[in-house]
Each structure stands twice: as structure tokens, then as C-alpha cells.
Amino acid sequence: LVARGEPLYRQHCASCHGARLEGQPDWQSRNERGRLPAPPHDDSGHTWHHDDEVLFEVTKYGIARHAPAGYESDMPGFGEAMNDADIVATLAYIKSHWSATVHAKRAAAGMN
């Protein structure tokens, strides 16, 4: 699953979230358009704080389902570019880069 997800991540996600999942510089500060840059998907970001359902839905549909009304983001939905199995594989690739500490925190919170 992870091996299947790696090229999908590189094709659909790396241009914003980084080839090493590092995110965009200064990702916690709004840019000139008032939007937050793409966060890292490694341990230093907040991706791992979200449960699997939220991660799947944000990837498939974009951020709107889980953001406050009127929130603007550059995160598109990939539901037309990737099928559900592709999204699951891409998320597996991202998760494979999280530390044992992050996985333990997710497990303790019932997210794994």
C-alpha cells in the first residue's frame, strides 16, 4: 500500500506539501492572500492530529467539509484525480513517515 502511495503522493501532493513531506515555508502564517501555506505531513505538522476519516475526506473533497464557513484554502479535492483506493494508498505513504511516537499518540486517541 505504501509503495503504491509513493508515486501518487509525488504526482498529486509533493508540489505543495514537499517531496520530503516538509510543507511550505512559514506554513503557520497567512500569506499575502490571507491563506495558510501547505503544512508539512511529517511529525512537525498537524496532519497526524486528524483521524483517518477526516484525512480521507479532506484529500477527496478538499478542506471545505472540515473548515469553518468562509474559510479559504488552496487545498483542492482529489476525488476526480484519484479513486478511493488511491487516496488510501497516498495516506498510507504519508503515515509511513510518522514516528513511533506519533503513531502511539494516534493509537492512544483511538485514531489508528
Side-chain angles (χ1 to χ4, degrees), residues 8-108:
L8 292 165
Y9 176 86
R10 298 212 182 287
Q11 179 181 358
H12 298 288
C13 312
S15 63
C16 292
H17 292 280
R20 294 178 315 281
L21 292 84
E22 73 274 13
Q24 294 177 341
D26 203 20
W27 65 274
Q28 293 177 308
S29 299
R30 296 195 180 277
N31 62 25
E32 63 281 350
R33 294 184 353 213
R35 297 180 180 185
L36 291 170
H41 285 321
D42 61 15
D43 287 10
S44 69
H46 62 79
T47 303
W48 66 268
H49 293 99
H50 302 294
D51 67 38
D52 290 348
E53 181 178 353
V54 169
L55 293 176
F56 180 86
E57 289 182 352
V58 167
T59 306
K60 184 169 183 167
Y61 304 111
I63 196 72
R65 286 188 176 204
H66 295 281
Y71 183 85
E72 293 187 17
S73 172
D74 291 328
M75 175 64 185
F78 288 92
E80 293 184 20
M82 291 194 286
N83 63 37
D84 289 0
D86 289 342
I87 292 170
V88 169
T90 303
L91 292 171
Y93 173 75
I94 290 168
K95 292 177 190 181
S96 75
H97 288 80
W98 295 342
S99 68
T101 301
V102 163
H103 283 289
K105 288 178 181 178
R106 285 177 53 86

